[in-house]
Amino acid sequence: IDQQAVEKAAQRLDMLTKPQGSLGVLEDIVKQLAGITGNPIPRLGKKCVVIMAGDHGVVEEGVSAFPQEVTPQMVMNFLNGGAAINVLSRHAGADIVCCDIGVASDVKHPSLIIKKVRYGTANMAKGPAMSREEATRAIEVGIEVAEDKIKGGVNILATGEMGIGNTTPSSAILTVFGCPVEKVVGRGTGIDDKGLALKIKTIIKAIEVNDPDPSDPIDVLSKVGGLEIAGLAGVILAAAAHRIPIVIDGFISSAAALVASKIEPRSVQYMIASHVSEEPGHKMMLEMMRLYPMLHMKMRLGEGTGAALAFHIIDAATHIQSEMATFESAGVSRSSSR
Amino acid sequence: IDQQAVEKAAQRLDMLTKPQGSLGVLEDIVKQLAGITGNPIPRLGKKCVVIMAGDHGVVEEGVSAFPQEVTPQMVMNFLNGGAAINVLSRHAGADIVCCDIGVASDVKHPSLIIKKVRYGTANMAKGPAMSREEATRAIEVGIEVAEDKIKGGVNILATGEMGIGNTTPSSAILTVFGCPVEKVVGRGTGIDDKGLALKIKTIIKAIEVNDPDPSDPIDVLSKVGGLEIAGLAGVILAAAAHRIPIVIDGFISSAAALVASKIEPRSVQYMIASHVSEEPGHKMMLEMMRLYPMLHMKMRLGEGTGAALAFHIIDAATHIQSEMATFESAGVSRSSSR
């Protein structure tokens, strides 16, 4: 983070025709982007949402409202342009890339990046979701996909995911990192009360069976995580390493961000939170990373949809810094109290 | 509100490739726009932010951090394209119209709509801010300006304002409508603790001196309101009368919305809340009207800036309804539990 650029950005913001600080989060974003890019008047160019898709063995416990076949079906929907994330990314001027990092079946499409680490995770209620090597490899896949886009000229990334059942490992990760399981677990894509109780029981069981070590984020990922979650942690770490801002979507993306923050705490400085989802654990995750969600959309879809909406706001912030008049240029009097 | 269109919109939303309701507020917006426009797949065309500018005699009590000359200076800034609202509207594809409904001095610019009801309000701490006739005329001005834009093809409006000191009458209006004054009053554009105490004292005094009748919204407007607040109430009422959605900006705009809702409760059905501002009373106003602010930007600028940001989200909602694939067209399996 370039502190000098942050200060220069702040000085310019205070010269613009508005009371100091009155644009709130827009000003915070400008300063953060200045620090990341080294430019006090930051500009965004190519945007890309990276969608990691993977399946979860734990669905055999009955924790999801949708059948597992929906994961590859939705991957095809992304590739054919019909999903919510396609609509919202298009409208925000962002590209999409979709990577099969662990779908339980084979998906074929010319635009799909196939870097399958394994065919879905194992059922974490019975043993580790994957091996330590697989978790490490999945993080590397995320780094590879992100670096490929960054080399292609993308200068802001967002996280997206698809994986039936993936609120369960995300909730398990948050629980291991210290939040009470009853407060963490939500209804995902739409389970009922009975399903909710089962989901809580399953997470408690998975943590008992695997005993993940909260001081070892790779251990947590491999035992109660997911392939797409590990992949997104890699995307986030790559963005931070290359000094690229990374927009964090909802609950699953934030589980990946939490893991990334445990691997490299400084990665948080590159994260921009987008929305706070309906999953109760999401707010807690964001608070643990001291990230502030600007959008309160009551959304619970994932895919990167909240992040795609946030692109508009981030764009707006950069326009404020580059296009607004100063007090001097506009001939406007300043506040008497400052 | 066309209930049949709302139901048709809801039916289509449930056919799209996402768990039912998982796009939260985006789905709420689609249904609201369907009800307003009668089209289950609503489309937005021309957008316009109406900025009403007026001055406040109460500034002689010392309630604002900025001098009154800033009102005409900022009006010129709007007309020359240098203010935050210019940048954000441009970026959201919205026009701006600025109306001098009560600036305390003369402003001249070819693009300015001059419909001055009087040169600023009187000091409400000493007597009524304006006469009942002037308040009524100011509402009519808002109706005229909005109708002119609607005739010109605008089909979504947003409220914006400029008026040094205008958080004071807005706070007074909310207090008269039943919220405790200490909970209502905030720092506006940036007064200190001493200024805050003075502002509270001034509002209490204004209400004592004028004794406005909460059951008579025009009485409240004329005694402790403002010309731009009355004008915006007119804009909102005109939008509702013409079945046009109206995006409500921050604290001052919401004071106008509250007055409009007291004049015609059904006008609330046409309002879309944008952001919740840093003024503590704003959240209470929105709750009184049961409006939900989707943006949490910590903003306190006014001008229509929060509403302009919300245009992006409202646009996104319409794209979701018109562009997403259905479960059938994409070959995606549905949830088992529904």
Side-chain angles (χ1 to χ4, degrees):
Chain A
I1 294 289
D2 183 338
Q3 279 305 332
Q4 216 179 347
V6 174
E7 276 162 41
K8 277 189 186 167
Q11 280 165 16
R12 183 176 162 81
L13 284 166
D14 286 347
M15 288 164 55
L16 303 177
T17 48
K18 56 172 186 51
Q20 287 190 9
S22 63
L23 284 176
V25 176
L26 291 181
E27 299 192 29
D28 295 340
I29 291 171
V30 169
K31 286 182 270 185
Q32 185 183 359
L33 292 176
I36 292 172
T37 63
N39 184 355
I41 307 179
R43 285 167 198 278
L44 297 179
K46 277 176 82 173
K47 311 182 187 79
C48 183
V49 182
V50 179
I51 304 177
M52 291 281 164
D55 273 312
H56 298 270
V58 72
V59 296
E60 70 185 32
E61 303 289 327
V63 289
S64 178
F66 280 84
Q68 193 169 56
E69 70 206 41
V70 170
T71 303
Q73 289 169 348
M74 283 303 296
V75 167
M76 286 305 289
N77 198 17
F78 299 148
L79 298 164
N80 293 326
I85 187 60
N86 299 98
V87 175
L88 298 180
S89 299
R90 204 151 56 214
H91 178 54
D95 284 339
I96 286 181
V97 62
C98 184
C99 172
D100 174 0
I101 194 169
V103 180
S105 56
D106 285 314
V107 188
K108 276 173 195 161
H109 190 286
S111 305
L112 179 65
I113 299 174
I114 303 176
K115 287 180 180 271
K116 209 190 280 283
V117 175
R118 54 179 284 171
Y119 285 81
T121 54
N123 181 352
M124 68 179 189
K126 293 181 175 166
M130 63 189 117
S131 68
R132 189 172 181 94
E133 290 67 34
E134 286 163 339
T136 307
R137 175 65 197 136
I139 293 174
E140 286 170 0
V141 164
I143 294 172
E144 288 167 18
V145 172
E147 289 192 333
D148 189 54
K149 298 313 291 181
I150 294 167
K151 273 176 203 155
V154 166
N155 51 19
I156 181 164
L157 285 165
T159 61
E161 41 58 48
M162 179 66 219
I164 293 301
N166 65 10
T167 58
T168 299
S170 300
S171 302
I173 288 169
L174 180 54
T175 304
V176 173
F177 286 136
C179 287
V181 66
E182 316 79 36
K183 289 191 179 173
V184 162
V185 180
R187 292 173 191 278
T189 49
I191 51 169
D192 56 16
D193 286 350
K194 209 175 138 190
L196 192 67
L198 179 68
K199 194 168 163 183
I200 292 172
K201 222 172 113 183
T202 304
I203 289 166
I204 293 170
K205 197 171 156 199
I207 294 172
E208 274 176 9
V209 166
N210 292 294
D211 193 25
D213 174 3
S215 70
D216 179 354
I218 313 286
D219 191 58
V220 177
L221 257 186
S222 60
K223 287 175 174 169
V224 300
L227 292 153
E228 79 280 43
I229 298 170
L232 286 181
V235 169
I236 294 163
L237 293 171
H242 290 273
R243 301 180 172 273
I244 295 279
I246 175 91
V247 186
I248 308 296
D249 186 39
F251 186 56
I252 289 90
S253 288
S254 297
L258 198 55
V259 170
S261 76
K262 299 286 182 184
I263 295 173
E264 174 48 71
R266 287 176 299 176
S267 64
V268 177
Q269 298 180 311
Y270 296 84
M271 299 179 193
I272 301 175
S274 54
H275 78 300
V276 58
S277 87
E278 285 288 271
E279 282 292 306
H282 192 202
K283 197 165 168 265
M284 285 180 261
M285 285 173 174
L286 293 172
E287 280 167 5
M288 284 170 83
M289 295 183 280
R290 298 189 187 175
L291 293 174
Y292 180 82
M294 49 193 149
L295 295 167
H296 285 54
M297 303 298 300
K298 301 186 183 178
M299 281 163 47
R300 52 183 170 81
L301 177 58
E303 299 180 2
T305 47
L309 286 178
F311 274 145
H312 294 285
I313 311 295
I314 298 166
D315 267 341
T318 66
H319 289 288
I320 285 292
Q321 181 75 322
S322 62
E323 297 175 25
M324 263 185 81
T326 61
F327 281 102
E328 202 173 4
S329 73
V332 174
S333 309
R334 283 167 180 272
S335 158
S336 51
S337 70
R338 285 180 189 247
Chain B
I1 293 288
D2 183 339
Q3 280 305 331
Q4 214 177 350
V6 174
E7 275 162 42
K8 278 189 184 167
Q11 281 165 17
R12 180 173 164 84
L13 283 167
D14 287 347
M15 287 164 56
L16 303 177
T17 49
K18 58 172 184 53
Q20 286 188 11
S22 62
L23 285 177
V25 176
L26 291 180
E27 300 192 28
D28 295 340
I29 291 171
V30 168
K31 285 182 272 189
Q32 186 183 357
L33 292 176
I36 292 172
T37 64
N39 184 356
I41 307 180
R43 285 166 198 279
L44 297 180
K46 275 175 86 174
K47 310 181 188 78
C48 184
V49 182
V50 179
I51 304 177
M52 290 282 164
D55 273 311
H56 298 271
V58 72
V59 295
E60 70 186 32
E61 303 288 327
V63 292
S64 178
F66 280 85
Q68 193 170 54
E69 70 205 38
V70 169
T71 302
Q73 289 169 349
M74 283 302 298
V75 167
M76 285 306 289
N77 198 17
F78 299 149
L79 297 165
N80 292 325
I85 187 59
N86 297 99
V87 175
L88 298 179
S89 300
R90 206 152 55 214
H91 179 54
D95 284 339
I96 287 180
V97 62
C98 184
C99 173
D100 174 359
I101 194 168
V103 180
S105 55
D106 283 315
V107 188
K108 277 175 194 158
H109 191 286
S111 306
L112 179 65
I113 300 174
I114 303 175
K115 287 179 181 268
K116 208 189 281 282
V117 175
R118 55 179 281 171
Y119 285 82
T121 54
N123 181 355
M124 68 179 190
K126 295 183 176 166
M130 63 189 116
S131 69
R132 190 175 181 93
E133 291 66 35
E134 286 163 338
T136 307
R137 175 64 196 138
I139 293 174
E140 284 170 2
V141 165
I143 294 172
E144 288 166 18
V145 173
E147 288 191 334
D148 188 55
K149 298 312 291 182
I150 294 166
K151 273 177 202 153
V154 166
N155 52 20
I156 180 165
L157 285 165
T159 61
E161 42 56 50
M162 180 67 219
I164 293 300
N166 65 9
T167 59
T168 298
S170 300
S171 301
I173 288 169
L174 179 55
T175 304
V176 172
F177 286 137
C179 288
V181 66
E182 316 79 37
K183 289 191 180 174
V184 162
V185 180
R187 292 175 190 275
T189 49
I191 48 168
D192 56 17
D193 286 352
K194 209 175 137 190
L196 192 68
L198 180 69
K199 194 169 163 184
I200 292 172
K201 223 171 113 183
T202 304
I203 290 166
I204 292 171
K205 198 173 155 197
I207 295 173
E208 275 176 10
V209 166
N210 292 294
D211 193 26
D213 175 2
S215 71
D216 179 353
I218 312 285
D219 191 58
V220 177
L221 257 187
S222 60
K223 288 178 174 167
V224 299
L227 293 153
E228 79 279 44
I229 297 170
L232 287 181
V235 170
I236 294 163
L237 292 170
H242 289 273
R243 302 181 173 271
I244 295 279
I246 175 89
V247 186
I248 308 296
D249 187 39
F251 186 55
I252 288 92
S253 288
S254 299
L258 198 55
V259 170
S261 77
K262 300 285 181 184
I263 295 173
E264 175 49 73
R266 287 177 299 175
S267 64
V268 176
Q269 298 180 313
Y270 296 83
M271 299 179 194
I272 300 176
S274 54
H275 79 300
V276 59
S277 88
E278 286 288 271
E279 281 294 304
H282 192 202
K283 195 164 171 267
M284 285 179 261
M285 284 174 176
L286 294 172
E287 280 166 6
M288 282 169 85
M289 294 182 281
R290 297 190 190 177
L291 293 175
Y292 179 83
M294 50 194 149
L295 295 168
H296 285 52
M297 303 300 298
K298 302 184 181 177
M299 280 162 49
R300 50 182 173 80
L301 177 57
E303 300 181 0
T305 47
L309 286 177
F311 274 145
H312 294 285
I313 310 295
I314 299 165
D315 268 340
T318 65
H319 289 287
I320 284 291
Q321 182 76 319
S322 62
E323 297 175 25
M324 263 184 80
T326 61
F327 280 103
E328 202 172 4
S329 71
V332 175
S333 307
R334 280 166 181 274
S335 157
S336 51
S337 69
R338 283 179 188 244

